[in-house]
Structure formats: C-alpha cells, structure tokens
C-alpha cells in the first residue's frame, strides 16, 4: 500500500501560510478602507515633519513623546489654522459671488454676448455652425448650469452636519496616527523591513523612494499651488476682477494639474478682457500669466517634484492626473508614488534578471 503524503509537509504549510497572509492582509486593508484618507495624510504628516521631530528629540534629550506632541502642535499652527482661516474667507467670498449672480450684478449672458460680438466674422460664422452663437441659448444654459450648481451646493450644505462628524473623526485619526508614526516611525520601518523577503539594499531603495516621492510631491505641489494661486489672485485684484480671492484659490487647486492648471482660469478671463475692449488689462494678464504664473510651473515643479522623484515630466503629469481622476485630492500624492514605486520595482526585477550587472548604490534618505 502506497504511503499517504504527510498533511503537515513543509511545502503545504508554506503555501497555506502564504494564502493566509494574503487573505488577512486584504482583510486588514478592507477594514482600513473607510479611513484610508486619514491614514494617508497621517503618514504624510509623519514623513514631512519627521526631521522636525528628530531635531526636537535631540533638544529634549530623547523625550520622544514630548517631541511628537510639540511637532503636532506646530502642524496645527503652521498648516491647519491658516487652512481654516482660508476656508472661512473663501466661503464668505463664495456667498458674495452667489448673491451678485442672483441680483444680476454678474451676468454671464452679457459676458458671453460681449465676447461673441468682439470676435472676427469668420470665427462667429464657425461658432454659428455649431450652434454656439445664440446668446439667449447660451444664457439659458448658463442659468440652468448655475441653478444645478446652486442646488448641488445647497444639498451639500444640508448634509454638511453629517459630513462634519466624519471630517472631525478623520482629522483626529490622522493626528493620532501621526503622533505614533512620529514617535515610533523608525522602529516600524525596521520591523517592516525585517519581514520583507528582499536584500537590504533593495529594501533601502524602496523605502527611500517612497519617502522621497511623498516629500517631493507634497512639498513641491503645495509650493507651486500656493505660489500660482497667490500670483493669480494678486493679478486679478490689481486688475479689479471680482472675487479675486475665490479665483486665486481655484487657480491654486487647478495648479495641481501640471502644465494646464492655472491657465484654465486666467486664459478665459484674459480673452474676455481683450474681447470687451480692456486691451491693456488683457495684454497685461496674458503677459503675467505666461511669463510669471507659467514660469512658476515650468521652473519650480521640475525642480521640486521631478528632480527628487527622478520621474520624467510627462510621467509626473500622467500619474498626477490619473491619480486625481481615480482618488480625488488624495490622488495627487498617490499617483506619483505609485509611478515611482512601479519604476523602482521594475528596476529591481531587471537587475535580478541580469545578476551580472552591479546594483546601483542606494540613495541616502533626505534630511528634509
């Protein structure tokens, strides 16, 4: 009689353990999924402010708890408080714009009519072929779009009380997680690295790439967004354009899209100014937009983002837009991170496939 295969053979146990590891890992991420935004931004805060925490630990003789608490207090003062003040001002500005539209002070139909009448005849004929020259129809569509937008905003405001509780919970989860990641980040990194079945050099490459891309993406995109939004809002204010603060914030958010972001706001405004006879204002806005606002994107973004992430500009653009399309605001961080890790893993795989080539030295982690 042929002896049966042992139930507890090493190969069977290893396969069972791998399947169990996959299942519990997926289950763990599924449990965290409702709070993935809070987990992501808690991790980002810990990575960005880890150098501050280390310096505070040195000054406080290794008291990591106090260093983490002081670091979080700095986060609240430097980041959260200005953001709350900005949102408050933005809500007030938005309310004034809505009131101006409802009172007729802002008439999108009149703006469209002025632009259409100022266009050359061939261009007017071309628009007429596509049914875009009927000012009354354009005004009706604009009114309908604004009405739908108003209803959407109103529905959001009605549910704001419910979403506020979720926002507060996410905010405290983020701070709670950031505290422990600041305090125990090095130990967690060593523990995770010890369990990865990779060579020590490969582990350092992946961890350093992850932290470097997050720092470069967040700091670079935030600096570019704030700079472009501030410059655009300042230009609108100087030219006397209504709701300069609101448009500046819109340009700041749109500037998360490389190459095209802020231009989606200032280009139509410049066209309107030129079409309505405000020639010097339109020319000044075009010159300022191309030479100053555009220069910020063309100079600062490659230096702050592409240089540290070692990603080509086109890949930064595609991964950022794709990340935002899939994940919303969180995608402007996760998109480039996934792209950078993708390239790093393929680089490791190619080196494994060609073992005769010496591996490149690991990039030392950046201090800040």
């Amino acid at each position: 009689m042929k002896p049966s295969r042992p139930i507890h053979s090493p190969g069977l146990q290893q396969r069972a353990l791998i399947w169990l590891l996959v299942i519990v890992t997926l289950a763990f991420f599924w449990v965290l999924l409702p709070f993935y935004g809070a987990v992501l931004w808690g991790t980002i805060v810990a990575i960005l402010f880890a150098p501050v925490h280390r310096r505070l630990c040195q000054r406080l003789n290794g008291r990591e708890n106090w260093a983490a608490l002081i670091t979080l207090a700095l986060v609240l003062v430097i980041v959260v408080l200005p953001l709350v003040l900005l949102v408050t001002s933005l809500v007030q500005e938005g309310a004034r714009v809505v009131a101006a539209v409802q009172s007729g002070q802002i008439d999108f139909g009149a703006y469209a009519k002025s632009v259409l009448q100022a266009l050359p005849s061939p261009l007017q004929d071309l628009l007429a072929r596509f049914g875009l020259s009927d000012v009354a129809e354009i005004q009706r569509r604009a009114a309908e779009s604004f009405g739908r937008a108003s209803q959407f905003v109103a529905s959001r405001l009605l549910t704001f009380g419910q979403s506020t509780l979720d926002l507060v919970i996410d905010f405290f989860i983020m701070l709670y997680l950031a505290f422990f990641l600041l305090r125990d980040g090095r130990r967690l990194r060593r523990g995770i690295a010890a369990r990865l079945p990779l060579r020590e050099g490969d582990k350092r490459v992946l961890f350093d790439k992850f932290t470097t891309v997050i720092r470069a993406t967040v700091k670079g995109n935030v600096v570019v967004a704030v700079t472009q939004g501030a410059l655009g809002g300042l230009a609108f204010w100087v030219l006397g354009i209504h709701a300069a603060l609101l448009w500046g914030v819109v340009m700041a958010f749109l500037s998360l899209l490389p190459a095209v972001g802020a231009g989606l706001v200032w280009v139509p405004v410049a066209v309107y100014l030129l079409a309505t006879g405000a020639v010097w204002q339109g020319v000044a806005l075009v010159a300022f937009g191309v030479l100053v606002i555009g220069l910020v994107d063309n100079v600062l973004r490659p230096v702050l983002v592409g240089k540290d992430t070692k990603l080509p500009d086109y890949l930064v653009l595609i991964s950022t837009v794709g990340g935002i399309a899939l994940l919303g605001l969180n995608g402007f961080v996760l998109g480039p991170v996934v792209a950078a890790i993708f390239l790093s893993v393929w680089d490791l795989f190619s080196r494994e496939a060609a073992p005769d080539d010496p591996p490149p030295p690991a990039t030392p982690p950046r201090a800040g």
Side-chain angles (χ1 to χ4, degrees), residues 6-153:
I7 261 181
H8 300 294
S9 64
L12 182 61
Q13 288 188 22
Q14 185 176 15
R15 287 194 296 271
L17 183 59
I18 290 175
W19 276 107
L20 181 62
L21 178 64
V22 171
I23 292 172
V24 297
T25 301
L26 292 176
F28 177 71
F29 283 108
W30 178 64
V31 169
L32 294 182
L33 187 61
F35 303 104
Y36 93 95
V39 173
L40 172 66
W41 286 100
T43 306
I44 291 173
V45 167
I47 290 174
L48 290 179
F49 288 88
V52 178
H53 177 259
R54 286 196 294 269
R55 294 190 185 99
L56 287 173
C57 278
Q58 294 173 359
R59 291 180 175 272
L60 296 174
N61 298 321
R63 298 176 182 174
E64 294 186 348
N65 287 327
W66 280 106
L69 287 174
I70 295 174
T71 304
L72 290 182
L74 291 175
V75 171
L76 293 175
V77 173
I78 297 173
V79 179
V80 177
L81 183 58
L83 189 61
V84 170
L85 296 177
L86 177 62
V87 170
T88 302
S89 300
L90 186 62
V91 169
Q92 295 174 353
E93 188 84 3
R96 286 194 290 269
V97 171
V98 171
V101 172
Q102 292 176 344
S103 65
Q105 183 180 354
I106 298 177
D107 189 349
F108 294 110
Y111 295 159
K113 182 177 180 180
S114 301
V115 173
L116 290 174
Q117 290 176 349
L119 293 176
S121 299
L123 190 53
Q124 291 184 15
D125 296 337
L126 180 63
L127 292 176
R129 291 181 183 179
F130 292 96
L132 299 176
S133 61
D134 188 349
V135 177
E137 179 65 16
I138 293 175
Q139 187 171 6
R140 184 185 66 80
R141 292 180 181 178
E144 290 179 354
S145 299
F146 183 77
R148 287 194 295 268
S150 300
Q151 292 175 359
F152 174 79
V153 172

Side-chain angles (χ1 to χ4, degrees), residues 115-365:
V115 173
L116 290 174
Q117 290 176 349
L119 293 176
S121 299
L123 190 53
Q124 291 184 15
D125 296 337
L126 180 63
L127 292 176
R129 291 181 183 179
F130 292 96
L132 299 176
S133 61
D134 188 349
V135 177
E137 179 65 16
I138 293 175
Q139 187 171 6
R140 184 185 66 80
R141 292 180 181 178
E144 290 179 354
S145 299
F146 183 77
R148 287 194 295 268
S150 300
Q151 292 175 359
F152 174 79
V153 172
S155 64
R156 291 292 182 181
L157 290 176
L158 288 176
T159 60
F160 183 73
Q162 299 175 355
S163 61
T164 300
L165 179 60
D166 296 335
L167 181 63
V168 171
I169 292 174
D170 287 344
F171 178 72
F172 280 103
I173 289 176
M174 180 197 74
L175 291 180
Y176 186 77
L177 179 62
F179 171 82
F180 286 101
L181 289 178
L182 284 169
R183 192 190 69 178
D184 305 326
R186 290 183 178 180
R187 289 187 288 273
L188 287 173
R189 173 172 171 160
R190 288 195 296 267
I192 294 173
R195 289 161 178 81
L196 288 178
L198 298 172
R199 290 193 296 261
E200 289 300 322
D202 295 339
K203 295 175 186 180
R204 286 196 299 271
V205 167
L206 290 178
F207 276 107
D208 292 343
K209 177 64 70 173
F210 178 76
T211 55
T212 300
V213 171
I214 283 187
R215 286 175 181 167
T217 302
V218 175
K219 291 196 296 186
N221 283 326
V222 167
V223 169
V224 171
V226 170
T227 304
Q228 287 192 318
L231 290 172
L234 179 63
F236 279 25
W237 178 74
V238 170
L239 295 175
I241 296 172
H242 190 74
L245 175 64
L246 176 63
W247 293 121
V249 173
V250 172
M251 280 188 276
F253 276 104
L254 289 177
S255 67
L256 295 175
L257 302 174
V260 297
L264 296 175
V265 176
W266 67 260
V267 169
V269 174
V271 170
Y272 169 76
L273 292 174
L274 293 171
T276 53
V279 178
W280 78 264
Q281 291 94 332
V283 171
L285 184 56
V286 170
F288 189 81
V290 173
L291 299 177
V292 180
I293 299 177
L295 191 65
V296 169
D297 190 83
N298 295 329
V299 174
L300 283 184
R301 195 184 299 274
V303 171
L304 296 176
V305 181
K307 181 180 179 181
D308 288 338
T309 61
K310 302 297 189 294
L311 294 177
D313 292 343
Y314 67 87
L315 191 55
V316 173
L317 171 62
I318 295 173
S319 60
T320 302
V321 175
I324 292 175
L326 285 175
L327 304 169
L329 188 61
N330 297 325
F332 90 90
V333 180
L334 290 178
V337 167
V338 171
I341 298 299
F342 168 80
L343 294 181
S344 297
V345 171
W346 271 100
D347 183 59
L348 296 178
F349 176 78
S350 64
R351 293 210 308 269
E352 288 291 334
D356 295 335
D357 297 335
T363 303

